[in-house]
Amino acid sequence: MTSSPDTTGTQAGSASSVEEGAPAVPLVEVRSASKAYGPTVALREVSLSVGAGEIHGLCGQNGAGKSTLVKVLAGLVQLDSGTVLLDGRPIELSRPLDAQHHGIALVDQELSVVPALTVEENILLGGAGRPFVRRRAADRARARELLERVGLSQLSPDARVESLSMAQRQLVEIARLLGREARLLILDEPTASLSRADSLVVFAALRELAARGHSVLYVSHRLDEVLDLCDRVTVVRDGARVADESATALEPARLIELIMGDLHRHERAANAARSAPDASDAVELVVRVAQPPRIGGVALRIRAGSIVGLAGQVGSGTSELLRALAGLEPGGTASIELPGGRVARPTSSRAAQAAGIDFVSNDRKGEGLFLERSVGENLVATRLDRISRAGIVGRRALREVAGRLSERVHVKTRGLDAGVLELSGGNQQKVFIGRCLERGSDRILLLDEPTRGVDVHGRAEIHDLVREAAGNGTTVIFASGEPDEVLDLADVVVCLHGGDVVAVRRAEEMTASDLLAETTRGRAAATEEPDGR
Ligand SMILES: Nc1ncnc2c1ncn2[C@@H]1O[C@H](COP(=O)(O)OP(=O)(O)OP(=O)(O)O)[C@@H](O)[C@H]1O
C-alpha cells in the first residue's frame, strides 16, 4: 500500500514518509463525530479512519448515518462535536470549498458532468487557479494525463460526454476531481445506475487509483461489491460505529449481521414460503408493447397475480417497457388484454391509472415524491379520492391510512408530519412503494428498480410487500439491474437485450450466471411465457 498519491508532482503535502515501525498516519480520520437534526440523532460519536491508498467501505441500514458522515467530509454538513483530521492534523470543513482545498472530493450520484460539453471541457471545468486564457496544448496534455489515470486513455478528449456510457461518465467525473488534486474520493452508491460490466470498469479504475496512493471511501448497499472491492469496512448502525474490520476476513453473513443487528432475516426462506400461483386457475393477461426504436414488438402472456422480473443491461429497454405500460412514453403503443376481453390502452399516465396500473419510477425525486410535502401526505397522495367525502379529506382518515402504510413499510421517521426530504434515501423509497400498496386487487403494479438505495433489511421488507400484493391478486412487473434481486423476487424472468425479449424463463430454473449470459449475449428467443403461462 502506498502512502502518497502518484500525481506527477501535483499533490498537496501528504503523509508519505512513514518511519519504519511507526504506525501510519491515516489520510483522513474522523474522531467522535456527533450530529443531530433536531430530535434525530444522525451520528453518535462515530469514528472513521481511511489510510492513504486504501479503499474503505462504509455500510449501514437506511438512515444509519452514512450520508451524514459523507456530507461532513464534503463540507456540506457541520458536526455538533468531533474532529476531522487530515494527515494527522485537525482541519475545518465549513463549506464545500474547504473540502476541495484539502483534496476531499465527493463523486456525486447525480454526476456533475455536463453532457453537452466535451470530455476535455468537463475535466478542466471550474478547476481552481486556471488561467483566463486557454492554453490549448497544455490543456490537452493535462486532459489526456487525467484520462489515463482513470483508465480512459483510449477516449478522445473531444468526445461529447452525452455519447459516453454511464461508467465512462463516472470516470470522467473522477478525472475532473483528480485534476483538482483530490486525494480522498468519496463514492456514494456509484453502481446504482451501472450495469455489472460497467461497474467492473469503474472498480478497475478505483483499484488503479488506490495503487497510486489515492484513497477511496465507498458507500454502498451492495455488499458483494463492498467485500470484493474494499480493503476495510466500517459499519454504522443507528448513528454509531459498530465495526471497522478488514474486508478480506469478513464473511458476507457476518457483514449482514453487523449491519442489521438482531433484525437479520433470510429472504430466500420467505420466497420459498410463498407458493407460486396455481396453474389450474390461471387467468392471463397479454401485454403488448411496441416503442421503436427502443423496444421492438414485445408480447408477453402473464398470469394474473404473478411477479414478472425484467432483466437487462442499461439500455436494454426494461425501463422503457415499464414506462410505456405506465403511459409515460409518448407515441408508444402499449396494450394489456385483461381477463374478460377488456383491453387497457395506457396512452397517458392518467389512462394507465384509470386502468388500474400503478407505477413506481426509478427516479423517486423527479417523478415520485412530492418533495415539499410530509411523509403522511406522500403516503396517501394517490388515494385521496378513497378517503375523502364530497371532496373533503378527513384528517383522521388521512392519518389512519398513512399511519398504517408507514408501519407496513417500516419507514424510519420522527413522525408522519416530518418532511419527506428529512428521510434518508432508502426510507424515501419505502414511502414511494407504500403509496402503491393496498390499492385493491386486479391491479397491475410496475416497479422500476424497486430497492435502489435500500438496505438489505428494507429490501427484504419491500420484497415481502410485493409478494403480498401479488398474493392478493395484483400482477407485478418489475425491472432490476441486479440479477440476485430478479431471481429472488420474480416467478418468471423476462430477459431483454437491445429492446427485444431474448428469453423468458421460470426464475427457479435460472442461475445468476444464466441470467447474465442471456442479458449480455442478446440471442433471439421466444417471447411468450414458458408452458402454460
Ligand atoms: N436534513 C435532514 N433533516 C432532518 N433529518 C435528517 C436530515 N438528513 C438526514 N436526517 C436523518 O438522519 C438520519 C441519518 O440519515 P442519513 O441520510 O445519514 O442515512 P443513510 O445511512 O445515508 O441512509 P440511506 O442508506 O437510506 O441513504 C436519518 O434518521 C435521517 O432521517
Side-chain angles (χ1 to χ4, degrees), residues 130-147:
R130 299 261 317 127
F132 184 68
V133 182
R134 290 192 71 190
R135 294 174 300 134
R136 272 214 62 80
D139 278 355
R140 178 54 52 114
R142 177 84 172 130
R144 282 199 192 283
E145 183 237 322
L146 292 167
L147 285 172

Side-chain angles (χ1 to χ4, degrees), residues 37 40 42 61-68 221 412 422-426 453:
Y37 297 99
T40 309
Q61 295 178 48
N62 294 132
K66 304 177 298 295
S67 302
T68 304
H221 292 294
K412 190 178 174 215
E422 288 178 33
L423 299 185
S424 73

Side-chain angles (χ1 to χ4, degrees), residues 2-12 14 16 52-53 142 145-146 148-149 178 181-183 208-215:
T2 46
S3 54
S4 166
D6 157 22
T7 58
T8 47
T10 54
Q11 286 300 313
S14 72
S16 45
R142 177 84 172 130
E145 183 237 322
L146 292 167
E148 193 270 324
R149 273 161 54 187
L178 293 178
E181 320 301 353
R183 300 174 67 196
E208 185 60 29
L209 286 170
R212 291 182 177 206
H214 289 280
S215 306

Side-chain angles (χ1 to χ4, degrees), residues 111-118 122 159-163 169:
L111 299 176
S112 40
V113 285
V114 184
L117 295 183
T118 67
N122 267 286
R160 295 216 174 264
V161 162
E162 62 202 359
S163 69
R169 289 182 198 203

Side-chain angles (χ1 to χ4, degrees), residues 37-38 40-43 60-69 71 188-189 219 221 236 364 412-414 421-428 453-455:
Y37 297 99
T40 309
V41 180
L43 298 175
Q61 295 178 48
N62 294 132
K66 304 177 298 295
S67 302
T68 304
L69 194 53
K71 285 178 186 161
D188 194 351
E189 290 280 347
V219 186
H221 292 294
V236 283
R364 63 176 167 256
K412 190 178 174 215
T413 171
R414 63 178 172 81
L421 273 182
E422 288 178 33
L423 299 185
S424 73
N427 280 297
Q428 287 178 357
V454 176
D455 63 47

